[in-house]
Amino acid sequence: HIQNLGDSLRATVECASAADMFDAWKRVQAEFSIVDAGVDGRTESNGRLKNNLLTEKLKPPDMLINVVFEAEGYSMVAEIQIHLREIHRLKQERHLHYEIGRAQDIFAIRR
């Protein structure tokens, strides 16, 4: 059985500015036909956006998008992360601290 499964397919887009982040989002939205649920009578979408730009929580300003990736007759869920470049690099440097904070014990920490 599987004890720990991360994202099987993940892409990261680093952007120089907020305008670049918005452009990247619009391209992902168009490519994967992501729509807001309930818009134009639609109740389903090919993706889901977790927009940390609009949260009041203490989180890095990023966009995490789950999409259905299809290739050669196969489909799987993938994650596309859109980050501001400088903040993403800081986030990577601090990732070990994040893992330590989440760990239930010393053996759960992965590097």
Side-chain angles (χ1 to χ4, degrees):
H1 74 288
I2 298 173
Q3 290 182 340
N4 295 307
L5 177 64
D7 297 315
S8 297
L9 186 59
R10 181 186 327 162
T12 299
V13 180
E14 286 188 344
C15 301
S17 68
D20 291 341
M21 287 182 74
F22 183 72
D23 184 51
W25 157 245
K26 295 310 274 180
R27 289 174 184 229
V28 169
Q29 186 180 33
E31 180 65 31
F32 291 95
S33 303
I34 300 171
V35 297
D36 291 331
V39 173
D40 297 328
R42 299 178 187 181
T43 57
E44 296 181 11
S45 178
N46 291 327
R48 178 182 69 93
L49 167 65
K50 181 177 180 183
N51 187 348
N52 289 323
L53 298 175
L54 300 177
T55 185
E56 292 184 17
K57 295 179 183 177
L58 295 176
K59 294 184 145 231
D62 57 20
M63 300 172 82
L64 309 176
I65 308 146
N66 295 113
V67 299
V68 177
F69 178 75
E70 297 179 2
E72 299 184 21
Y74 295 95
S75 298
M76 68 183 301
V77 174
E79 181 178 77
I80 300 172
Q81 300 181 349
I82 302 174
H83 299 275
L84 285 169
R85 181 175 294 123
E86 295 303 317
I87 292 176
H88 184 240
R89 291 183 180 168
L90 287 172
K91 187 176 171 182
Q92 288 177 306
E93 290 174 10
R94 304 284 188 247
H95 193 71
L96 179 59
H97 299 120
Y98 169 76
E99 290 288 333
I100 291 170
R102 289 183 58 192
Q104 293 179 359
D105 57 43
I106 191 75
F107 301 106
I109 299 172
R110 296 178 280 146
R111 182 127 175 137

